[in-house]
């Protein structure tokens, strides 16, 4: 009960300013917000990552990019286990993940064009504690929703936050979150967002799942660099005021 209360306290702290539906993990009660469009997303039309731009415009200290990797979360956990860990916060990006995963035994598909990223934090250098980590998923889900909601058409689409760690559009999964704590002072936050990948490329064993991608909703590809910068800066703003 204590964990559930903490989770709903986190949900209650979410700003009430968007056209979302929040689905609790144990009920279907809905919380709706009024839509508010933002213009910065309207010009996103490039593909790929500008790593230098990401580093210069976010609090990230180091970035690793992989054309293909098993899991960005696993990569950062390996780095954190070394005797000389990297400067934090560090970001890992991948074009393709071969063993991406969600909670439990769930598998996360990362096709080319998807945003697959993991962020490693030193909790001792932040306002967060290890006890806060289960409560971060709703906040991260909202941050993702705040980015994608202004992009999608006003009519016929609804962003849905499915607690504790998924974001859907019209009942189809578009983003997932996986938070891990490999050491008492470190957190690894994995985020998968279907941006420029195509459902036609979904592996046969996953085609029975309802998957959405932004480029197929919009009919155009988006700028992954701008998406990462906006998402990271939103997250760090929330991290900095989490205890306030």
């Amino acid at each position: 009960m204590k964990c559930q209360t903490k989770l709903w306290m986190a949900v209650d702290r979410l700003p009430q300013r968007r056209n979302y539906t929040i689905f609790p993990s144990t009920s279907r009660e809905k919380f709706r917000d009024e839509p508010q469009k933002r213009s910065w997303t309207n010009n996103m039309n490039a593909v790929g990552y500008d790593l230098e731009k990401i580093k210069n415009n976010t609090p990230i200290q180091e970035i690793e990019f992989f054309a293909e990797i098993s899991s960005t979360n696993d990569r950062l956990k390996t780095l954190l286990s070394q005797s000389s860990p990297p400067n934090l916060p560090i970001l890992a990006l991948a074009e393709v993940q071969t063993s991406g995963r969600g909670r439990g035994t769930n598998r996360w598909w990362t096709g080319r064009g998807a945003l697959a990223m993991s962020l490693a934090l030193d909790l001792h250098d932040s306002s967060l504690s290890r006890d806060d980590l289960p409560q971060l998923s709703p906040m991260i889900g909202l941050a993702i929703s705040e980015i994608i909601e202004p992009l999608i058409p006003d009519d016929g689409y609804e962003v849905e936050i499915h607690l504790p760690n998924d974001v859907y559009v019209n009942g189809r999964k578009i983003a997932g979150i996986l938070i891990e704590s490999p050491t008492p002072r470190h957190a690894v936050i994995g985020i998968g967002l279907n941006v420029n990948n195509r459902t036609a490329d979904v592996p046969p064993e996953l085609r029975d799942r309802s998957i959405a991608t932004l480029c197929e909703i919009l009919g155009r590809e988006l700028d992954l660099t701008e998406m990462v910068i906006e998402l990271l800066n939103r997250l760090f703003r929330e991290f900095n005021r989490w205890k306030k």
Side-chain angles (χ1 to χ4, degrees), residues 61-234:
Q61 296 297 305
E62 296 186 25
I63 302 177
E64 290 194 343
F65 174 79
F66 302 90
E68 183 173 306
I69 194 173
S70 59
S71 163
T72 53
N73 263 35
D74 287 349
R75 170 59 181 170
L76 293 188
K77 289 193 295 181
T78 297
L79 292 180
L80 293 174
S81 69
Q82 295 175 353
S83 57
S84 298
N87 294 324
L88 300 181
I90 184 173
L91 179 70
L93 291 165
E95 184 177 5
V96 173
Q97 283 188 122
T98 58
S99 300
R101 65 188 191 282
R103 297 175 71 236
T105 60
N106 292 335
R107 179 182 173 188
W108 179 260
W109 166 67
T110 304
R112 296 188 187 279
L115 193 167
M117 60 176 262
S118 294
L119 171 67
L121 302 172
D122 185 338
L123 298 176
H124 290 185
D125 291 337
S126 73
S127 59
L128 301 169
S129 71
R130 207 176 194 187
D131 292 338
D132 292 323
L133 297 183
Q135 305 171 56
L136 291 184
S137 286
M139 181 270 288
I140 296 172
L142 181 71
I144 294 171
S145 299
E146 286 186 315
I147 291 173
I148 68 176
E149 193 274 339
L151 287 167
I152 63 177
D154 289 325
D155 299 325
Y157 290 93
E158 184 176 41
V159 178
E160 305 160 358
I161 301 173
H162 287 225
L163 299 180
N165 66 325
D166 293 326
V167 179
Y168 284 64
V169 174
N170 283 17
R172 299 165 63 198
K173 189 170 180 176
I174 200 165
I177 304 153
L178 176 63
I179 301 176
E180 300 179 287
S181 182
T183 76
R185 69 176 293 167
H186 294 121
V188 176
I189 300 171
I191 297 173
L193 175 59
N194 295 328
V195 182
N196 296 330
N197 46 333
R198 308 282 176 171
T199 54
D201 298 329
V202 175
E205 64 271 20
L206 299 178
R207 287 179 183 167
D208 61 338
R209 303 183 184 182
S210 295
I211 296 172
T213 77
L214 280 174
C215 72
E216 292 184 340
I217 292 172
L218 301 174
R220 61 187 175 92
E221 293 186 335
L222 305 179
D223 186 333
L224 290 173
T225 294
E226 295 298 330
M227 188 80 69
V228 170
I229 290 172
E230 178 68 10
L231 180 55
L232 286 172
N233 286 331
R234 283 176 182 269

Side-chain angles (χ1 to χ4, degrees), residues 2-94:
K2 184 177 180 181
C3 291
Q4 187 177 15
T5 300
K6 279 190 168 186
L7 178 61
W8 281 108
M9 288 174 63
V11 172
D12 289 341
R13 292 176 60 179
L14 302 180
Q16 301 297 308
R17 59 176 183 268
R18 282 288 184 271
N19 185 28
Y20 322 119
T21 300
I22 300 179
F23 290 118
S25 56
T26 56
S27 76
R28 306 295 282 186
E29 185 178 0
K30 296 183 178 183
F31 298 78
R32 295 184 182 275
D33 304 310
E34 293 301 318
Q36 178 181 341
K37 293 296 181 181
R38 298 194 177 190
S39 61
W40 69 268
T41 49
N42 294 342
N43 296 320
M44 300 203 305
N45 55 16
V47 180
Y49 295 105
D50 183 335
L51 303 184
E52 193 67 23
K53 185 175 182 180
I54 293 171
K55 190 173 180 180
N56 290 339
N57 289 276
T58 69
I60 296 299
Q61 296 297 305
E62 296 186 25
I63 302 177
E64 290 194 343
F65 174 79
F66 302 90
E68 183 173 306
I69 194 173
S70 59
S71 163
T72 53
N73 263 35
D74 287 349
R75 170 59 181 170
L76 293 188
K77 289 193 295 181
T78 297
L79 292 180
L80 293 174
S81 69
Q82 295 175 353
S83 57
S84 298
N87 294 324
L88 300 181
I90 184 173
L91 179 70
L93 291 165

